[in-house]
Amino acid sequence: MLPSLPTTLAAVSSIGVNHYLAVAALLFAIGFFGVLLRKNTLVVYMSLELMLNASTLAAVAFSRFNQSIDGAVFVFFIITVAAAEVAVGLAIIVALFRKRHTVQVEELGTLKN
């Protein structure tokens, strides 16, 4: 059985900024180690997006707990930049794959040839 809406809202309101920051730190750490340890460019790219989303979550949490709209506006710009980044990044990855027939970082060590 699902909890009722007031119960859910009460549970969400009891979550403090520290909880949000802990989740953001965990997401950032997962993304950071994904960038450092993975060899596939798509996975590295997804890890970068995870790090960006972690910073977005922290900005939203600070905005909510400071009762300010500044963080929400900042997040709007982050999402806009992230959408542009996805378009450009995926285009570069697809172009590299077409040229080199691989997405492994080790084999893309140079842009020459």
Side-chain angles (χ1 to χ4, degrees), residues 37-112:
L37 301 176
R38 300 303 298 220
K39 306 291 184 202
N40 188 325
T41 54
L42 289 174
V43 175
V44 170
Y45 194 68
M46 288 189 299
S47 298
L48 287 172
E49 290 294 325
L50 200 57
M51 293 167 63
L52 187 63
N53 287 332
S55 65
T56 303
L57 178 62
V60 168
F62 282 124
S63 174
R64 181 178 182 267
F65 285 98
N66 287 332
Q67 301 293 326
S68 165
I69 196 166
D70 296 342
V73 172
F74 190 63
V75 167
F76 177 74
F77 287 114
I78 289 174
I79 290 172
T80 304
V81 170
E85 173 197 339
V86 166
V88 172
L90 285 179
I92 290 171
I93 290 172
V94 168
L96 281 173
F97 181 76
R98 285 183 179 174
K99 181 79 174 176
R100 305 275 179 94
H101 302 288
T102 185
V103 289
Q104 299 300 318
V105 174
E106 297 164 339
E107 298 173 19
L108 300 173
T110 179
L111 292 177
K112 207 173 202 180

Side-chain angles (χ1 to χ4, degrees), residues 5-17 19-20 64-65 67:
L5 184 59
T7 305
T8 304
L9 291 177
V12 169
S13 66
S14 66
I15 297 174
V17 70
H19 297 96
Y20 288 106
R64 181 178 182 267
F65 285 98
Q67 301 293 326

